[in-house]
Amino acid sequence: MGTEATPAAGIKKPVLTPKALIHQKYGSRACYRIEEVQHAVGNVCPGLVIQQQVRSLYRCCLDLPDLSVTSDTFTRKKDAEQSAAQIAVEKLGIQAKANSSTPEEAWNELVARISGLFTDEFLSSSHPLVGHFRVALRKEGDLFGMIPMSVIAACDVKVNSLCRIIDPKAESDAHIILLLISKAAKVSGSVCIIDDKFWIWKGGPYSSEAIESSLHHSSDCLESVNIEAIRIPCALEEEVGTLSLLVSDTKYYMDEIAKKLNVNNSSEVLISKTVGKASSEIKLYFPTPDGLLSASDSSNDPLGIVGDVKMGPLLNKRASYLSGQNIYGDAILANVGYTWRSTELFCEDVSLSAYYRMLVSKLPDGSYKLSREAILAAELPAVYTTRSNWKGSFPRDLLCLFCRQQRLLEPIFSVRNVNALESSPGFKEINTSELTEVQYANEVLSGVLDRDLDTSSGFQCEVKIFSKRQEVLIEYSSADTYRKESDAIQSSALKVLAWFKKYFKQLDMPMEELSSFGSTDNIKVHPIIFSQELAASSFVYDFKQMYITRNCSSFGSLFKNQSNLILQNGMILLNVEGPDSGVYPSSGSLTCISYAASLVREEDTAKIFLESNDEFEFEIGTGAVINQIEACVTQMSVNQVAQFVVELPSRDMILAAAGESANSLSQLSLRNCFLEFSVKVLCVTEPLEDRMEKALFNPPLSKQRVEFAVRHINESHAATLVDFGCGSGSLLDSLLEHTTSLEKIIGVDISHKSLTRAAKILHQKLTKNSVMQTCIRSTALYDGSITEFDSRLFGFDIGTCLEVIEHMEEDQACLFGDVALNLFCPRILIISTPNYEYNPILQRSASGTKEDDLEEKSGSCKFRNHDHKFEWTREQFEQWATNLAVRHDYSVQFSGVGGSGDVEPGFASQIAVFRRNPSHWLEEKCLPDGDSSHPYELVWEWTNKSL
Ligand code: SAH
Ligand code: MG
């Protein structure tokens, strides 16, 4: 099997399989025969007349020159083969052959290999190089039989790997291989080269039969075709574009490329490794740097070899980046070449979007991040057929990447087996009709991908995309089935990506149209969450792609006269203004900033305003924004303002990102332009509290608070509830999921942003039919301060105020207590707040520090959350609440959630339940009349029309 090139010597590789060991020793003399064994799967249920299932099992016979063995039976052919090979390996005591690991051995092998390529025998093989030989043998005159050395370097795996052992630099520089080949050719004696030229040919003549049969072999069926290729200029200011190559069986494609590269002939064209998948023919072609051979000839020692050729200025950065190799001068990216698969020339277009797509797959090193637009601009094929037909990053990986960039959770792929034999017993691989949800970790997936189930089963895959708060944005499901689980997954991921792409072309789509827009592509959209998550600031993401030159010196000199100049991460921080509030964003904290971005031109210092956002929230340390923003923000404290300047990403990165609008953008000169950001840190939410609560309590404290409230609601048969400081509506939302006596629920908060979020969440839930079994008739959200009285919320059955008072100044909290019990007068009021005494336990669990460290620190215990203005001990809380109750004719009981009230230091969250005394004379409080007592602003309202 030609394509399975023997593992390259000297390259780190997995332990050889038994089959590979046999191959090493016997090559084609090892003969495997597979026998099919019919195997009846026994009836699982004796007595039931169910037709017996018959399945095939395989056994393998391996015939070697001096031994024959037969394996056990297996469900997969390959397992049977490996097993047979294993038996043979054991019987013969074969050990892995030591690779030619020393450079000297490799050098000798290289010389032998080069000679071996120029023989009659080689000419009749099916090696991809033979295609090149055939063209060369057709040439007339001086060039008869001469082939470019670069072709050997590019097409022969063996030569390539030997060169890498001799000189590890060959890995990144194709011209080193060329120099080694020419040296080896000189030594071999049977092969000819000319000084200073990169042609190589056979010393003596080929036999006429060999030439005859080789020329005869060629099928000459490729008529002249034009294929699209990509030109990647060396100069960064020149754009990447397409060009067309004329190829045919009779005309040498290397000649055509030489012409396009403006070099004399095909021997002056260097070829990169394949870009992307090893099985593709996509390679970069570029001119041989001048003076290459003379640069190296000074050394006579074959192993001391190549001195570093100084070609720095010629380095083609974009092409080098793409290939992971040093590429010099203008380069052409083309998909053309001879393959093992056929004697014909293989060629295919490489489109500009395919180029972008390849760039996108180049993410892992982290320093070059491409934007959402780049993923979307990279035109993906409409369908996924098989793994081997796919070029570049797989759709599933792209989708995961996309979700990460959008600050969404990893997508969930649910694979379902829809096997026709679903009900038959005995197929353990098949998980009947049950939908299993698996969050595929990469490793797991790659295991799955290679699993080739030998059954007639089919797989369907559903995809769900979630926000960071675990809300579903979209769900994809379709009836398409695939033979392989992995194909189903990749296909679905591709469909979802394609749909996103479609969506981003019409970002301004009204929310009402989203559902129908999704349904044509089998996508169920949850419009509110979806638009909330995806319509967010685009600019900060768009410029995520950083092709920023690491060398900032010329850039820095521009701003030399600025004081406070900090140069790092390819950015210049101009200044930080405002007093240090002492509250810093730190890793993991949710940070809210406002920012403005403008384009600044060097010559006129005029600013072109690009985008601003006055409330942009992101989590520090997740890579959700460009690293310059993060680097800037982490040097600031809340309320400070800063400006910084960054170099523009390279032009073609911008164009890749710009997608459709690339054409109009390309009119604008971006030369000498910089991006200036002005940033203000608005607030920082320390996630520690949540993390601690989640780490230590199951169910989480927040859930326990809800359950606590539900108990009191039901015990008291409350019909009306007001949640003071409802935040994003977590309590109200959970109440909709419980069966309670409630008919009316109201939330109040001063954060408009939280209320908007609450409105979206509640609205979505209420318009879904599933919650209609509750008796809730109306819900509303009000914007206002709970220290002010609003008569619309007077005399409710129950009031809740969970984890709110500590967010107010102490006097305000006390004011709220009075307003609540004196004016709002709920029958029951539940107030919860952290128990300060519990903090050491939370902090210990969060930091994992040992007990004795903690003794020292416990004196200086911090609050649980930066936004907390105070945290009370049990005594402080109880004293406050008791006095409050007495003042307003209420009784009070203390309780809590998290931990136990009987064990020190008490509950994690302490709760006071106030009850209005039955004697309490409500009517006396008579509502103050008129609008004057309606200070709250109604934000959102819902009434159940079906009740
Ligand atoms: N009760 C919610 C939110 C707690 S966070 C929950 O348990 O999840 C505290 C909330 O109190 C924030 O949303 C904040 O905006 C709100 N808040 C603080 N001071 C307020 C005031 N004076 N009036 C109304 N809401 C207030
Ligand atoms: Mg709190």
Side-chain angles (χ1 to χ4, degrees):
M1 283 236 301
T3 39
E4 277 180 15
T6 40
I11 292 178
K12 277 212 195 80
K13 57 179 189 288
V15 179
L16 291 180
T17 62
K19 245 186 112 174
L21 284 172
I22 293 290
H23 180 79
Q24 255 192 4
K25 183 155 173 145
Y26 295 101
S28 58
R29 288 176 299 154
C31 174
Y32 295 85
R33 275 182 294 117
I34 292 286
E35 287 173 9
E36 195 170 333
V37 190
Q38 296 291 323
H39 174 75
V41 176
N43 251 335
V44 188
C45 239
L48 277 184
V49 194
I50 300 172
Q51 217 187 352
Q52 290 205 334
Q53 287 297 328
V54 174
R55 70 189 300 199
S56 288
L57 289 177
Y58 302 99
R59 166 161 72 214
C60 176
C61 310
L62 169 59
D63 295 321
L64 298 171
D66 34 358
L67 177 77
S68 288
V69 294
T70 303
S71 79
D72 214 325
T73 55
F74 291 85
T75 52
R76 301 192 301 181
K77 294 179 190 168
K78 14 179 197 187
D79 291 343
E81 288 180 353
Q82 291 292 1
S83 164
Q86 178 63 40
I87 296 169
V89 164
E90 279 166 18
K91 289 206 168 158
L92 296 165
I94 300 173
Q95 300 202 332
K97 187 171 92 186
N99 292 312
S100 46
S101 47
T102 69
E104 288 77 14
E105 283 166 344
W107 171 251
N108 292 333
E109 265 196 66
L110 180 66
V111 174
R113 177 68 184 174
I114 298 292
S115 310
L117 292 178
F118 293 86
T119 56
D120 286 353
E121 294 76 57
F122 186 77
L123 207 55
S124 60
S125 75
S126 62
H127 194 286
L129 266 176
V130 175
H132 296 266
F133 283 90
R134 270 201 310 265
V135 191
L137 292 174
R138 283 217 191 110
K139 288 196 169 160
E140 279 157 20
D142 287 351
L143 289 180
F144 174 81
M146 287 164 77
I147 68 162
M149 270 185 214
S150 59
V151 151
I152 293 181
C155 300
D156 193 61
V157 180
K158 186 89 192 250
V159 167
N160 229 287
S161 53
L162 291 171
C163 289
R164 285 196 301 254
I165 301 170
I166 300 166
D167 185 347
K169 283 199 294 277
E171 176 77 34
S172 60
D173 250 318
H175 75 264
I176 292 181
I177 301 184
L178 234 56
L179 297 173
L180 288 170
I181 292 175
S182 80
K183 281 182 184 286
K186 278 185 196 164
V187 174
S188 82
S190 62
V191 178
C192 301
I193 56 166
I194 331 170
D195 280 345
D196 285 348
K197 294 274 186 309
F198 295 97
W199 291 115
I200 184 166
W201 69 96
K202 186 170 174 4
Y206 289 99
S207 72
S208 55
E209 300 85 64
I211 293 188
E212 227 2 63
S213 74
S214 140
L215 292 180
H216 191 72
H217 252 126
S218 62
S219 34
D220 278 351
C221 57
L222 181 69
E223 297 182 0
S224 292
V225 285
N226 274 303
I227 57 163
E228 198 176 330
I230 303 293
R231 184 173 173 275
I232 307 174
C234 184
L236 285 174
E237 50 290 355
E238 277 180 62
E239 273 176 53
V240 172
T242 53
L243 82 172
S244 150
L245 297 176
L246 183 70
V247 298
S248 73
D249 254 350
T250 46
K251 199 166 172 295
Y252 192 27
Y253 74 90
M254 286 290 289
D255 290 342
E256 172 78 356
I257 291 175
K259 199 169 87 193
K260 299 285 179 185
L261 287 175
N262 283 323
V263 297
N264 296 321
N265 55 56
S266 52
S267 76
E268 294 178 15
V269 176
L270 278 180
I271 310 174
S272 75
K273 297 184 283 213
T274 36
V275 176
K277 283 164 38 75
S279 60
S280 96
E281 297 299 322
I282 304 180
K283 292 173 176 150
L284 282 153
Y285 297 83
F286 55 105
T288 311
D290 282 341
L292 184 54
L293 270 193
S294 40
S296 63
D297 263 7
S298 50
S299 156
N300 286 324
D301 168 16
L303 301 176
I305 322 280
V306 188
D308 279 328
V309 185
K310 300 274 175 278
M311 288 174 292
L314 285 175
L315 192 70
N316 184 324
K317 288 188 187 163
R318 288 178 290 205
S320 302
Y321 169 62
L322 186 66
S323 66
Q325 256 180 304
N326 292 344
I327 306 292
Y328 302 97
D330 295 344
I332 287 175
L333 182 71
N335 192 0
V336 58
Y338 298 100
T339 68
W340 286 98
R341 298 183 287 276
S342 128
T343 53
E344 291 155 40
L345 183 67
F346 169 86
C347 63
E348 237 174 45
D349 290 340
V350 184
S351 65
L352 203 53
S353 49
Y355 162 73
Y356 289 142
R357 193 149 70 86
M358 283 180 249
L359 276 182
V360 171
S361 71
K362 284 272 150 187
L363 279 154
D365 78 346
S367 47
Y368 306 93
K369 288 187 175 169
L370 285 170
S371 71
R372 164 183 91 196
E373 318 304 325
I375 292 179
L376 298 166
E379 207 74 40
L380 298 170
V383 287
Y384 181 90
T385 49
T386 64
R387 194 173 163 73
S388 51
N389 285 344
W390 189 263
K391 299 186 185 76
S393 288
F394 286 104
R396 179 190 151 276
D397 298 332
L398 287 174
L399 185 62
C400 291
L401 179 72
F402 175 79
C403 288
R404 243 172 278 145
Q405 290 186 339
Q406 297 301 307
R407 301 185 305 148
L408 303 171
L409 295 182
E410 294 279 296
I412 304 270
F413 298 91
S414 320
V415 179
R416 183 197 349 221
N417 191 324
V418 286
N419 187 3
L421 309 169
E422 201 166 48
S423 54
S424 65
F427 286 76
K428 69 174 187 305
E429 302 96 328
I430 294 159
N431 193 348
T432 47
S433 71
E434 180 194 338
L435 207 73
T436 47
E437 279 203 346
V438 186
Q439 193 149 5
Y440 282 100
N442 273 327
E443 301 81 346
V444 177
L445 186 72
S446 55
V448 171
L449 284 171
D450 295 330
R451 199 165 86 211
D452 191 359
L453 291 175
D454 247 351
T455 67
S456 59
S457 59
F459 292 92
Q460 291 177 350
C461 176
E462 297 183 1
V463 185
K464 279 190 194 158
I465 311 265
F466 293 89
S467 74
K468 278 264 194 264
R469 290 190 300 279
Q470 318 243 351
E471 304 145 328
V472 188
L473 265 66
I474 62 163
E475 296 168 63
Y476 168 84
S477 67
S478 109
D480 297 345
T481 55
Y482 297 83
R483 204 176 57 78
K484 286 189 185 180
E485 210 169 322
S486 61
D487 291 349
I489 293 170
Q490 300 293 0
S491 264
S492 303
L494 181 62
K495 293 279 167 44
V496 174
L497 273 174
W499 185 81
F500 270 121
K501 179 170 175 155
K502 214 167 109 186
Y503 169 76
F504 280 109
K505 286 182 179 163
Q506 1 194 341
L507 268 179
D508 50 351
M509 179 182 307
M511 217 194 275
E512 307 81 65
E513 285 173 27
L514 273 171
S515 313
S516 60
F517 181 72
S519 62
T520 53
D521 294 296
N522 299 316
I523 285 181
K524 186 172 164 218
V525 187
H526 300 265
I528 297 171
I529 309 295
F530 182 85
S531 12
Q532 189 183 329
E533 292 292 326
L534 287 174
S537 159
S538 56
F539 193 81
V540 177
Y541 298 125
D542 288 354
F543 285 86
K544 254 188 93 149
Q545 71 301 75
M546 281 301 125
Y547 199 76
I548 285 178
T549 330
R550 302 233 169 87
N551 171 11
C552 291
S553 53
S554 67
F555 174 50
S557 64
L558 253 176
F559 297 92
K560 250 196 196 113
N561 44 359
Q562 300 274 356
S563 53
N564 304 334
L565 194 144
I566 303 175
L567 212 142
Q568 58 178 58
N569 295 323
M571 79 168 199
I572 294 172
L573 186 57
L574 297 177
N575 48 43
V576 179
E577 289 162 13
D580 184 347
S581 62
V583 183
Y584 303 100
S586 58
S587 181
S589 61
L590 206 58
T591 304
C592 188
I593 61 169
S594 63
Y595 73 85
S598 333
L599 207 60
V600 185
R601 272 197 296 207
E602 194 182 334
E603 51 264 43
D604 50 15
T605 62
K607 287 184 194 177
I608 303 165
F609 170 79
L610 290 173
E611 188 188 298
S612 71
N613 192 327
D614 46 28
E615 222 180 52
F616 178 75
E617 203 178 53
F618 66 99
E619 209 176 313
I620 303 268
T622 58
V625 294
I626 56 173
N627 50 15
Q628 288 85 356
I629 288 209
E630 197 162 292
C632 174
V633 163
T634 47
Q635 294 175 45
M636 301 164 69
S637 64
V638 169
N639 285 328
Q640 285 186 322
V641 179
Q643 271 90 37
F644 67 90
V645 191
V646 297
E647 222 171 331
L648 277 188
S650 87
R651 188 183 177 79
D652 47 47
M653 290 290 171
I654 295 176
L655 294 178
E660 300 246 304
S661 55
N663 279 343
S664 57
L665 239 178
S666 64
Q667 310 295 317
L668 187 79
S669 165
L670 296 178
R671 255 178 131 174
N672 302 326
C673 277
F674 303 103
L675 275 182
E676 187 188 274
F677 280 86
S678 171
V679 179
K680 178 174 185 184
V681 179
L682 301 175
C683 66
V684 174
T685 312
E686 189 55 48
L688 198 63
E689 186 178 18
D690 301 343
R691 251 189 289 143
M692 290 190 300
E693 291 195 350
K694 282 198 187 108
L696 210 58
F697 301 103
N698 185 20
L701 271 193
S702 52
K703 191 150 184 229
Q704 294 191 35
R705 279 182 215 116
V706 173
E707 275 154 14
F708 185 93
V710 168
R711 230 180 309 130
H712 282 81
I713 291 160
N714 286 338
E715 279 169 15
S716 65
H717 306 289
T720 54
L721 174 140
V722 52
D723 188 23
F724 295 107
C726 63
S728 313
S730 60
L731 174 69
L732 302 177
D733 182 38
S734 318
L735 288 180
L736 294 179
E737 275 166 13
H738 287 80
T739 314
T740 66
S741 49
L742 293 173
E743 292 173 10
K744 178 176 180 176
I745 56 175
I746 309 288
V748 190
D749 205 287
I750 38 162
S751 161
H752 196 79
K753 191 175 152 198
S754 301
L755 287 169
T756 316
R757 201 175 281 168
K760 285 174 177 168
I761 293 167
L762 294 176
H763 186 85
Q764 193 204 341
K765 185 148 283 171
L766 286 164
T767 45
K768 263 202 310 209
N769 295 331
S770 57
V771 287
M772 286 313 174
Q773 63 252 42
T774 68
C775 15
I776 299 210
R777 288 168 194 277
S778 74
T779 49
L781 294 172
Y782 289 102
D783 189 343
S785 171
I786 55 172
T787 53
E788 275 189 90
F789 175 63
D790 189 299
S791 60
R792 287 171 290 188
L793 306 181
F794 172 74
F796 272 45
D797 291 334
I798 201 159
T800 48
C801 181
L802 306 183
E803 306 294 296
V804 175
I805 57 170
E806 73 277 4
H807 290 264
M808 306 154 82
E809 295 300 338
E810 244 174 306
D811 60 332
Q812 294 294 301
C814 295
L815 176 61
F816 164 69
D818 286 319
V819 170
L821 298 193
N822 189 38
L823 299 174
F824 285 113
C825 302
R827 186 146 59 84
I828 295 170
L829 177 66
I830 300 174
I831 298 184
S832 87
T833 193
N835 169 14
Y836 181 73
E837 297 162 83
Y838 203 88
N839 287 4
I841 297 178
L842 289 178
Q843 275 148 9
R844 187 182 329 162
S845 77
S847 63
T849 37
K850 298 222 176 62
E851 307 255 342
D852 33 305
D853 295 3
L854 231 116
E855 299 291 17
E856 298 164 24
K857 286 189 193 153
S858 56
S860 61
C861 234
K862 278 199 317 177
F863 294 153
R864 295 182 192 178
N865 184 316
H866 275 318
D867 194 45
H868 288 179
K869 308 295 186 301
F870 64 84
E871 281 175 9
W872 281 337
T873 61
R874 282 169 292 174
E875 195 192 335
Q876 285 171 307
F877 181 58
E878 286 171 17
Q879 199 183 346
W880 171 75
T882 310
N883 288 338
L884 182 67
V886 169
R887 276 205 300 281
H888 301 294
D889 199 12
Y890 274 71
S891 67
V892 63
Q893 275 181 329
F894 295 99
S895 176
V897 291
S900 155
D902 305 328
V903 182
E904 283 303 308
F907 290 110
S909 240
Q910 43 187 344
I911 302 181
V913 180
F914 299 87
R915 286 193 174 78
R916 203 168 63 204
N917 285 334
S919 60
H920 194 112
W921 198 237
L922 252 198
E923 276 88 317
E924 214 173 59
K925 297 223 142 81
C926 238
L927 298 177
D929 43 19
D931 289 325
S932 57
S933 58
H934 289 183
Y936 294 176
E937 192 194 330
L938 181 67
V939 175
W940 169 84
E941 193 176 22
W942 177 87
T943 44
N944 188 348
K945 298 185 186 76
S946 67
L947 283 179

